[in-house]
Amino acid sequence: MSKIGKEKLKEIYIIMLRIRAFEERAIVEYHKGIPGFIHSSIGEEAIPAAVGAFLRGDDYLLTTHRGHGDIIAKGARFDKMMAELFAKETGYCKGRGGSMHIVATDRNMLGATAIVGAGLPIASGVALGCKMQKLDRVTVCFFGDGATCTGAFHEALCFASVWDLPVVFVCANNLYSLSTPQKVYTKLEHISDRAKAYGIPGVTVDGNDVAAVAEVASEAIERARKGGGPTFIEGMTYRIYGHHMGDPGTSYRTKEEVEDWKKKDPIARLQSRLLKAKVITKSDIEEIQADVNRELDEAVKFAAESPEPKIEDALSGIYYTAR
Amino acid sequence: MKELTYREALREALREEMKRDESVFLLGEDIAEYGSSYKVPQGLVDEFGHERVRNTPLAEAGIIGATLGAALVGMRPVAEIMYIDFSPIAMDQIFNQIAKFRYMTGGTVKVPLVIRTQGGGGVSAGLHHSQSLEALYTHMPGLMVVMPSIPYDAKGLLKSSIREDNPVMFIEHKGLYGQSGMIPEEEYLVPLGKAEVKCEGKDITVVAYSKSLVLALQAAETLEKEGISLEVVDPRTLLPLDEDTILDSVKKTSRLMVVHEACKTGGFGGEVAAIVAEKAIDYLDAPIKRVTALDSPIPFNPRLEDYIIPNEGDIIAGARELMGKEVSAR
């Protein structure tokens, strides 16, 4: 099928199904009244799934406010994620973080940040810490195309490149910085061209083609692990929903454009490939989906039934106190 | 005991902690061979190499982000921001990332890092190299803010800061680096969050830190001769603040003056005044006096700069005013 083996593609496919199912359920629960904002990544699943499939448990990952998919791709638990969305004490951040700020230390997932671009300098630092301790761990930092205009992006890549840090910068280019199209904020056709400015490899791939993402991701992760330094990957993709669930996403995009991108759905694409190649059967798919849905039902039940943080604990966790 | 400058005391703290714990490393602009602008880390690269005394790109957000990231995976980084005036470039990393990281994890992750920087005026360094910005940082829960005034504290507080499991803004003063003081030969620590009464007195509690503490001690000597007795309290750590030591002193003297080089409006002096007003107003025999810089950028012209920044004379005038002997200009 490609350089990426059938079993790997199946593994990535399952991760994508998990992300899609979680995102769809999060939207349902949001409309039922969970607090705050939800930034859906539906349509963008191929990138985190194809990258995550090549990461080890002890590798590190950082992401953004649109990070559910990235966090799931790193193996985070549905129940603790859903409880966090429900603002419950049993959530990954004990209800202090919410959808935009999940930190899953059990999976070396070191945080989603809601400040666009802010994760990149931290990712360079995580990679520096690993390198100094001679740990062969790779750090992956996910961000959107809007982040590539921030100063933090530039500063982080300066550090990562001159110190040959084991970090992979993965940009999910969904063509809009919120509502602002790429041509309004950069003259570049390919944002990955920015990599040249740092003397590191940069590559643009079809971010809805799992095999294409997997090839560049596996190569970049291996290069980082072997001491070859950072890579910048740009995956071209599309966010099917609006910026967040309060934005229909229609004031700056045409219906035709959205419908066109729906036809390029990364899950449907891989699924038909896998079915055609007989890597997977329809009944396999039904079974996987049933398992995922069961896990989500349990996660929602767990979240709904979990206690809220206690008011008397509102100030706990600001400082570490051994004193 | 031995005599060391504030600069040497800080360097000794860095050296001792780097020897003691190999997860401690330094990063910042021009800190290796050049030894940075004020030469605190000078020579440490010869001892520890470039791996642990890391020159960075000129990129403050990058420095602070790297500091946080490294701290999250087992290192104890000590970053240097050459001037506190440059720290706002890294404000997002300090405010939104570092200060909130532990809370964001429901209190499960430690963030052991130090950001060393220096502020203050007095050398005609102009608008972008002279500010006193500590109040920005004391307004940010999750940070600790430490401001040493004498060499003994500089060393002991920096060592404690490096061992601390919370993020510390460690703010030095460029006008203090050459000041000498006595330091024990043997190792010691100065605890964070503990104020010290630097000079006992009975008439006025003067809360002062950093270079203003040195000025307050000089003023105390001068005023002693005219029968006004200052009790000078050095908070040393502004966040968390040792309120008890300040309140105990105010209850004894019944008068409060706060001195700092930062401008008045929104300054830390207002916080100290508010705490005393909330918790000990019944003990006060006079209004609270703030002796601070005027609300102005720091001008280049030496005469104007002298006028903007409070000096020993301003403290003396303020003390006389509190004792009903004159009305001060500030």
Side-chain angles (χ1 to χ4, degrees):
Chain A
M1 291 182 77
S2 74
K3 283 187 199 166
I4 307 301
K6 291 173 185 174
E7 283 311 303
K8 198 53 140 180
L9 287 174
K10 186 178 165 188
E11 182 189 331
I12 296 168
Y13 172 72
I14 294 170
I15 300 171
M16 288 205 292
L17 285 186
R18 289 177 66 79
I19 297 171
R20 176 70 56 93
F22 183 92
E23 291 285 40
E24 285 175 343
R25 187 66 66 91
I27 292 169
V28 169
E29 297 305 322
Y30 172 78
H31 288 305
K32 285 190 199 163
I34 60 174
F37 304 114
I38 297 285
H39 299 77
S40 164
S41 72
I42 285 176
E44 303 182 1
E45 296 90 342
I47 297 170
V51 174
F54 294 94
L55 293 177
R56 298 194 319 221
D58 62 350
D59 287 333
Y60 291 101
L61 186 145
L62 291 94
T63 182
T64 71
H65 56 287
R66 197 179 309 287
H68 296 166
D70 307 334
I71 299 163
I72 292 165
K74 193 67 179 64
R77 296 165 56 119
F78 281 176
D79 54 357
K80 291 175 84 170
M81 282 182 72
M82 199 58 87
E84 191 55 39
L85 268 56
F86 275 61
K88 296 299 182 71
E89 182 69 19
T90 53
Y92 264 119
C93 314
K94 301 187 181 177
R96 273 69 163 182
S99 165
M100 290 191 278
H101 302 279
I102 293 176
V103 185
T105 47
D106 58 347
R107 301 301 305 162
N108 276 3
M109 191 272 140
L110 288 182
T113 173
I115 305 292
V116 171
L120 286 94
I122 306 170
S124 288
V126 171
L128 171 65
C130 291
K131 188 173 181 176
M132 289 184 76
Q133 293 170 91
K134 300 190 168 42
L135 301 169
D136 69 338
R137 298 177 187 172
V138 174
T139 300
V140 169
C141 185
F142 287 103
F143 49 94
D145 47 303
T148 61
C149 284
T150 66
F153 168 89
H154 170 67
E155 298 193 18
L157 267 72
C158 282
F159 277 67
S161 59
V162 293
W163 288 344
D164 289 320
L165 297 178
V167 55
V168 182
F169 296 105
V170 182
C171 173
N173 184 349
N174 61 23
L175 316 184
Y176 293 88
S177 171
L178 207 166
S179 71
T180 305
Q182 184 175 333
K183 67 176 187 299
V184 174
Y185 66 76
T186 179
K187 285 202 166 191
L188 295 175
E189 189 190 345
H190 297 303
I191 293 177
S192 67
D193 285 350
R194 292 194 196 280
K196 286 180 195 145
Y198 308 99
I200 65 170
V203 56
T204 299
V205 289
D206 178 348
N208 282 15
D209 179 346
V210 165
V213 179
E215 274 183 39
V216 298
S218 58
E219 193 186 311
I221 291 165
E222 198 184 331
R223 176 163 49 240
R225 203 180 304 286
K226 288 183 173 162
T231 302
F232 179 91
I233 297 172
E234 175 189 25
M236 304 307 295
T237 186
Y238 201 76
R239 128 170 86 70
I240 297 302
Y241 284 85
H243 170 59
H244 57 71
M245 294 325 296
D247 164 33
T250 50
S251 62
Y252 49 91
R253 315 190 296 189
T254 63
K255 269 186 190 152
E256 292 74 27
E257 182 181 298
V258 177
E259 290 309 313
D260 273 356
W261 275 96
K262 280 184 182 170
K263 288 176 202 149
K264 301 179 201 166
D265 181 73
I267 297 179
R269 272 169 78 178
L270 181 59
Q271 185 171 299
S272 66
R273 263 178 95 176
L274 293 175
L275 284 169
K276 214 176 282 173
K278 298 197 180 358
V279 178
I280 203 164
T281 64
K282 280 195 172 157
S283 72
D284 289 341
I285 296 169
E286 281 163 19
E287 202 177 309
I288 295 164
Q289 275 173 331
D291 284 349
V292 173
N293 285 334
R294 200 174 311 120
E295 194 179 334
L296 273 169
D297 290 342
E298 284 165 17
V300 169
K301 185 168 184 285
F302 171 78
E305 290 173 357
S306 286
E308 300 237 8
K310 292 183 193 141
I311 291 292
E312 55 267 38
D313 291 336
L315 299 184
S316 71
I318 301 173
Y319 292 98
Y320 172 75
T321 45
R323 291 177 289 279
Chain B
M1 299 289 272
K2 59 187 175 190
E3 192 173 358
L4 286 186
T5 62
Y6 186 88
R7 173 187 293 113
E8 290 163 341
L10 290 164
R11 188 184 302 141
E12 204 167 89
L14 293 173
R15 179 185 291 118
E16 286 179 13
E17 292 308 300
M18 289 178 81
K19 273 188 180 166
R20 175 180 176 268
D21 180 350
E22 64 180 27
S23 69
V24 176
F25 74 101
L26 314 182
L27 71 167
E29 294 158 13
D30 309 294
I31 63 169
E33 284 78 7
Y34 183 65
S36 191
S37 285
Y38 290 91
K39 309 303 172 196
V40 172
Q42 191 156 56
L44 294 177
V45 69
D46 301 330
E47 208 170 331
F48 298 101
H50 287 98
E51 181 74 1
R52 293 180 70 198
V53 182
R54 302 184 82 95
N55 272 345
T56 64
L58 194 158
E60 281 77 11
I63 294 170
I64 301 304
T67 300
L68 171 58
L72 294 178
V73 294
M75 303 300 287
R76 285 189 174 271
V78 181
E80 180 181 302
I81 297 294
M82 198 183 276
Y83 284 77
I84 199 168
D85 313 68
F86 310 162
S87 69
I89 305 164
M91 202 60 106
D92 168 60
Q93 289 294 329
I94 301 173
F95 276 22
N96 287 321
Q97 314 304 329
I98 287 175
K100 293 170 176 56
F101 202 92
R102 179 173 171 79
Y103 194 74
M104 190 168 105
T105 63
T108 56
V109 171
K110 292 180 194 171
V111 185
L113 63 85
V114 179
I115 301 170
R116 277 187 53 246
T117 187
Q118 57 80 29
V123 294
S124 280
L127 298 108
H128 296 160
H129 294 75
S130 305
Q131 297 172 85
S132 297
L133 300 178
E134 63 272 17
L136 297 180
Y137 298 101
T138 57
H139 195 59
M140 191 47 56
L143 298 179
M144 299 178 85
V145 179
V146 177
M147 293 190 75
S149 56
I150 60 170
Y152 177 90
D153 289 344
K155 181 179 175 185
L157 289 167
L158 183 52
K159 284 170 69 77
S160 292
S161 297
I162 293 170
R163 296 184 196 188
E164 173 62 44
D165 283 324
N166 291 294
V168 177
M169 282 295 293
F170 193 92
I171 306 172
E172 301 156 14
H173 194 295
K174 63 175 68 63
L176 293 175
Y177 285 123
Q179 300 242 349
S180 294
M182 297 309 287
I183 305 243
E185 297 285 346
E186 63 276 13
E187 185 175 34
Y188 68 96
L189 297 169
V190 173
L192 304 185
K194 292 270 182 257
E196 184 179 59
V197 177
K198 286 279 196 293
C199 158
E200 288 195 23
K202 58 181 176 44
D203 295 325
I204 302 171
T205 295
V206 178
V207 176
Y209 51 85
S210 192
K211 192 181 169 193
S212 298
L213 181 279
V214 176
L215 298 177
L217 290 176
Q218 288 165 5
E221 253 180 63
T222 306
L223 287 165
E224 192 73 46
K225 290 168 200 153
E226 56 186 88
I228 300 175
S229 163
L230 302 187
E231 173 144 305
V232 182
V233 179
D234 182 355
R236 303 193 288 196
T237 303
L238 304 193
L239 188 68
L241 183 68
D242 176 0
E243 296 182 8
D244 290 345
T245 300
I246 294 169
L247 292 168
D248 288 348
S249 176
V250 168
K251 287 173 186 174
K252 186 173 95 175
T253 63
S254 305
R255 292 177 190 86
L256 173 67
M257 180 195 297
V258 193
V259 189
H260 57 61
E261 200 178 310
C263 63
K264 182 176 280 183
T265 303
F268 194 71
E271 187 60 33
V272 176
I275 290 165
V276 169
E278 281 175 346
K279 299 184 178 174
I281 199 164
D282 293 342
Y283 292 87
L284 291 177
D285 287 343
I288 294 166
K289 183 75 191 167
R290 286 181 287 169
V291 175
T292 69
L294 304 178
D295 287 338
S296 165
I298 305 297
F300 165 61
N301 176 279
R303 277 187 69 213
L304 294 182
E305 184 180 22
D306 277 353
Y307 174 69
I308 298 290
I309 292 175
N311 57 31
E312 186 191 338
D314 296 317
I315 299 171
I316 290 168
R320 288 177 181 149
E321 180 183 295
L322 280 177
M323 300 308 290
K325 294 188 174 177
E326 70 172 56
V327 176
S328 75
R330 259 174 221 255

